[in-house]
Amino acid sequence: GAPLPVPTWRRATDGRERIRLHDLLAMQSGIAWREDYDDPRSDALRMLFRSGDAAQVYASQPLEAAPGTRFVYASGATNLLCLVLRRSFADDRDYWAFPRTHLFAPLGMQTAVLEADASGTFVGSSFGFASARDWARLGLLYADDGQVEGVPILPPGWVAAARGAPAGGDGRFGLHLWIDVDPDGDGPAGREWPDLPTDVFHMDGHEGQYVVVVP
């Protein structure tokens, strides 16, 4: 893949210049990160409540593993993806309208809100809000292979790719989706929800909010 549009990474010599889009999607960038919501000094809380530029907090972290070799859940990776998306638009107004026009409206998600930080970049990791019915509509999009009544919303093959277990991961996380598979190959003991079918996948929100898809 192409280098990411993060200027400090392109000039880096510590390995961050080798991070690619897939590494962020799989949360295998190798960037040092602590996702702790009890310690106010953690990287996640420092990003969410003490910074006006969430993506920059993550981008400025040091590398501690080779990209693509280790899974570490990091909400900062999501927010850097939001910045990468922003930089693909020539006009911020089109970027800010994008979730509504290309996702929420086609799905009929009338209550959905995605907040931006002070720099204007969406905080896709955390500050997204919707009713339970609208979250269910998002789940149905994935259950129907990225289509709404036969109209494609997501690129062909995206849902299958997102549900796959990337090499270097722990077998529980795809591309920004949790997948309920057995990472150790020893039967149901290694699965998070052993009583559910093995093709279950889900989105996991803060404090136990789930969108679960059972194909």
Side-chain angles (χ1 to χ4, degrees):
L4 295 171
V6 182
T8 55
W9 285 8
R10 289 185 175 180
R11 298 191 299 267
T13 57
D14 61 354
R16 287 181 296 169
E17 72 279 5
R18 298 196 302 271
I19 297 172
R20 296 297 183 261
L21 187 65
H22 186 274
D23 298 322
L24 293 180
L25 287 167
M27 295 202 178
Q28 295 181 21
S29 69
I31 293 291
W33 189 260
R34 192 158 64 95
E35 192 80 12
D36 187 330
Y37 293 97
D38 294 322
D39 183 353
R41 298 167 298 179
S42 74
D43 299 321
L45 293 188
R46 179 167 56 90
M47 173 188 68
L48 293 175
F49 300 112
R50 296 176 59 191
S51 171
D53 190 338
Q56 181 57 32
V57 172
Y58 185 74
S60 63
Q61 290 286 104
L63 195 76
E64 64 178 8
T69 62
R70 189 180 69 179
F71 167 74
V72 174
Y73 183 83
S75 54
T78 305
N79 296 324
L80 186 56
L81 284 168
C82 290
L83 178 61
V84 171
L85 176 63
R86 182 181 184 181
R87 289 181 172 169
S88 72
F89 287 84
D91 190 319
D92 272 343
R93 290 173 296 183
D94 293 334
Y95 167 73
W96 294 323
F98 182 77
R100 173 70 54 195
T101 57
H102 290 270
L103 182 65
F104 300 153
L107 268 60
M109 296 178 65
Q110 298 182 8
T111 68
V113 174
L114 186 58
E115 292 188 355
D117 61 21
S119 75
T121 302
F122 288 124
V123 186
S125 70
S126 308
F127 299 143
F129 307 93
S131 68
R133 289 181 182 273
D134 276 351
W135 284 122
R137 290 182 173 95
L138 184 62
L140 282 172
L141 174 68
Y142 277 79
D144 292 337
D145 197 25
Q147 302 181 40
V148 175
E149 297 181 351
V151 177
I153 304 297
L154 301 177
W158 173 255
V159 173
R163 291 175 56 194
D170 66 356
R172 296 185 184 275
F173 196 80
L175 302 182
H176 268 57
L177 279 180
W178 293 98
I179 48 180
D180 193 39
V181 298
D182 178 10
D184 55 18
D186 293 332
R191 298 181 57 222
E192 181 175 1
W193 295 328
D195 295 331
L196 297 183
T198 57
D199 58 357
V200 164
F201 59 97
H202 63 284
M203 306 166 197
D204 185 353
H206 188 55
E207 298 292 350
Q209 303 169 67
Y210 292 101
V211 176
V212 182
V213 181
V214 187

